[in-house]
Amino acid sequence: IRSLADGNLDVEVEVRGGDEVGRLGRAFNDMTRRLAEAREMATASQTAVENERAYLAIILGRLSTGVVSLETDWRIRTANQAAGSILGFDVEKCIGRPLLEIARENPMLEQFVDVGRRHIMSGDLEWREQVVLKAEVGRRVLMCACSALKSEAGGTSGYVVVFDDITALLQAQRDAAWGDVARWRRRR
């Protein structure tokens, strides 16, 4: 029994006879076998979850789209490198820290947070918006989308914000439009 208490589930008692002691021994052996199977299943499930988490981290790491997941108190749960590059913060150092605290150190990030807080505080937990951020070297335009993460109890357990820097795309569209205007003027 001490071996079992120490976590050894391979313990088996010798069973003799069909009396109450024998039945108790068989029940004990059955219990330890089921506990060992349950521990194997839990270990396999944990391994599967860790593999999925690693797979998701690889996918998020290769995206050019910024992804940040937040707790309901706005602590950063996860963020990919693209999020840090677009918004100008060190992802590695910021996991677990409140986004509001980090934003005080970064004016562009502060503008981004203000937009999200405005939506969340008004009860708008699912939103999509084009956001213009004023940066030291001009402006950045982000296409942002936010979704609430649901808890098992049905409430909100946090938020995930996905965003793309579309500044260069918009500039290319403007350049193409001006090119069309120039071609039209030459034809006249």
Side-chain angles (χ1 to χ4, degrees):
I1 291 183
R2 275 200 187 127
S3 182
L4 178 64
D6 291 338
N8 180 7
L9 297 178
D10 294 328
V11 174
E12 218 175 272
V13 295
E14 187 177 328
V15 177
R16 295 184 197 165
D19 61 356
E20 278 188 36
V21 173
R23 284 194 298 277
L24 184 59
R26 281 188 290 284
F28 178 84
N29 290 341
D30 184 49
M31 177 193 69
T32 58
R33 180 184 47 74
R34 285 187 284 154
L35 285 172
E37 290 171 359
R39 180 165 53 184
E40 286 176 23
M41 287 173 42
T43 300
S45 291
Q46 184 175 356
T47 300
V49 166
E50 289 170 4
N51 289 341
E52 287 298 315
R53 185 173 287 137
Y55 179 70
L56 183 58
I58 289 169
I59 290 171
L60 287 175
R62 296 183 191 214
L63 290 176
S64 61
T65 298
V67 180
V68 178
S69 67
L70 304 166
E71 303 288 345
T72 54
D73 65 358
W74 288 72
R75 287 186 185 278
I76 298 176
R77 184 184 297 174
T78 59
N80 66 352
Q81 290 299 321
S85 295
I86 293 169
L87 295 173
F89 70 95
D90 185 347
V91 171
E92 303 281 324
K93 291 181 182 175
C94 294
I95 301 299
R97 287 182 58 201
L99 188 59
L100 302 172
E101 175 186 298
I102 300 161
R104 283 189 215 117
E105 305 161 8
N106 178 330
M108 192 168 65
L109 181 58
E110 190 170 34
Q111 296 168 60
F112 177 80
V113 169
D114 287 345
V115 170
R117 287 191 69 209
R118 183 173 29 89
H119 283 284
I120 301 298
M121 299 304 268
S122 71
D124 186 9
L125 305 182
E126 306 283 329
W127 56 271
R128 182 178 185 85
E129 182 176 338
Q130 184 172 308
V131 177
V132 178
L133 305 176
K134 292 175 180 76
E136 291 177 12
V137 293
R139 68 183 190 120
R140 281 212 171 145
V141 181
L142 306 181
M143 181 53 75
C144 304
C146 177
S147 293
L149 299 171
K150 301 296 180 193
S151 68
E152 290 180 16
T156 300
S157 69
Y159 314 97
V160 64
V161 184
V162 179
F163 48 95
D164 279 305
D165 185 344
I166 60 171
T167 308
L169 174 65
L170 293 176
Q171 184 61 48
Q173 288 174 344
R174 276 193 295 277
D175 292 347
W178 281 113
D180 289 346
V181 168
R183 280 190 294 283
W184 179 80
R185 288 186 139 195
R186 275 183 258 158
R187 287 188 218 154
R188 293 189 117 215

